[in-house]
DNA sequence: ATCCGCGATGAGAATAAGTCTCATTTGCAG
DNA sequence: CTGCAAATGAGACTTATTCTCATCGCGGAT
């Protein structure tokens, strides 16, 4: 949950202009669910042009403020992120996404690289299941 | 690299009809690269209807004959698979995809689940980097 | 404070990607 | 062989994303 201010500073640091549309989109994304589609953003910020939404989404990914989540049906959603490498756990019941990091996972991947001769310089791990809260619920 | 025959048996086992279009698409996919888009298949099998290509792609995923690969730009490609749970390593230089399985990874994920209280019933891991062959090449 | 250049924007068209409809075909169980 | 439910395909349709280009406005320089 990155503060608007931090994000704006990140933008500036990258040499990007701090424009009204970018501010508006940022705010819109913060008001949206924990993950959202490009179209959600278009709808949530009708005053901003469609092209700008897509451009901004890409920009924010580049500077690490927004990340992609691959849902279990293969579709992609976006999500504000506090930056840094991490993974996702998507609850199939309530739809919530949680961020995860794990040294163990990174270690195992490094070992895999060593063992196979591949040079892994990025990876993506998405997990699907049920969150503790949903598991605790009575119902089916 | 599953033999056509095995796939056809898998189809039959699932109670699906062994139709000419399905045969044609299967052959087309085998002739394509190690991964391909839906559009690639449409092009490679012009005699088969567009809708059937998409339907068949989904069907083959359902029966485990085709899997999705999430590329590093977030786009999705398809790939014939010998079935079973596995992960991908995508070479950013030559584009080749290799399948991977690792007990260590599965173990670590199970531990993560235990520790966090999440119930993980599926996951997706894609790795990006360079394959041994490309690393061995002289050039930049 | 003002200016100016270039990055950024938006309306809308264009393209890409995937889905739907429904009349016709066809695999295959009986 | 027959009958019929499953499967197909043409092409329209919907949805997603990119492109174009005239105009705008952020922010470094003065
Ligand atoms: Mn990781
Ligand atoms: Mn796995
Ligand atoms: Zn949940
Ligand atoms: Zn390679």
């Amino acid at each position: 949950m990155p503060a608007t201010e931090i994000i704006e500073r990140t933008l500036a640091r990258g040499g990007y202009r701090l424009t009204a549309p970018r501010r508006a989109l940022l705010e819109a994304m913060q008001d949206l669910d924990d993950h959202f589609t490009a179209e959600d953003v278009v709808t949530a910020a009708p005053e901003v042009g469609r092209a700008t939404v897509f451009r901004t989404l890409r920009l924010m990914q580049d500077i690490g403020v927004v990340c992609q989540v691959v849902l279990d049906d293969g579709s992609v959603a976006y999500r504000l992120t506090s930056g840094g490498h991490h993974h996702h756990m998507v609850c199939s019941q309530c739809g919530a996404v949680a961020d995860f990091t794990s040294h163990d996972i990174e270690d195992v991947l490094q070992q895999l690289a060593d063992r196979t001769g591949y040079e892994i310089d990025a990876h993506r791990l998405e997990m699907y299941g049920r969150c503790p809260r949903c598991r605790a619920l009575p119902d089916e």
Side-chain angles (χ1 to χ4, degrees), chain A residues 35-92:
Chain A
H35 64 280
F36 44 80
T37 63
E39 202 55 38
D40 290 337
V41 180
V42 169
T43 305
E47 74 277 18
V48 177
R50 181 171 210 70
T52 299
V53 169
F54 283 90
R55 283 189 290 237
T56 303
L57 231 25
R58 196 168 340 183
L59 169 66
M60 299 221 175
Q61 273 176 262
D62 289 348
I63 66 174
V65 160
V66 159
C67 65
Q68 291 184 334
V69 186
V70 182
L71 302 179
D72 52 359
D73 67 352
S75 66
V76 174
Y78 300 93
R79 177 174 163 79
L80 283 175
T81 175
S82 7
H85 172 72
H86 65 274
H87 305 297
H88 300 122
M89 166 68 213
V90 185
C91 178
S92 49

Side-chain angles (χ1 to χ4, degrees), chain A residues 6 14 23 28-29 35 59 68 77 83 89 92 103 108 119 125 129 136:
Chain A
I6 295 178
R23 266 189 250 263
M29 290 186 215
H35 64 280
L59 169 66
Q68 291 184 334
M89 166 68 213
S92 49
H103 280 301
V108 168
E119 173 186 295
L125 169 65

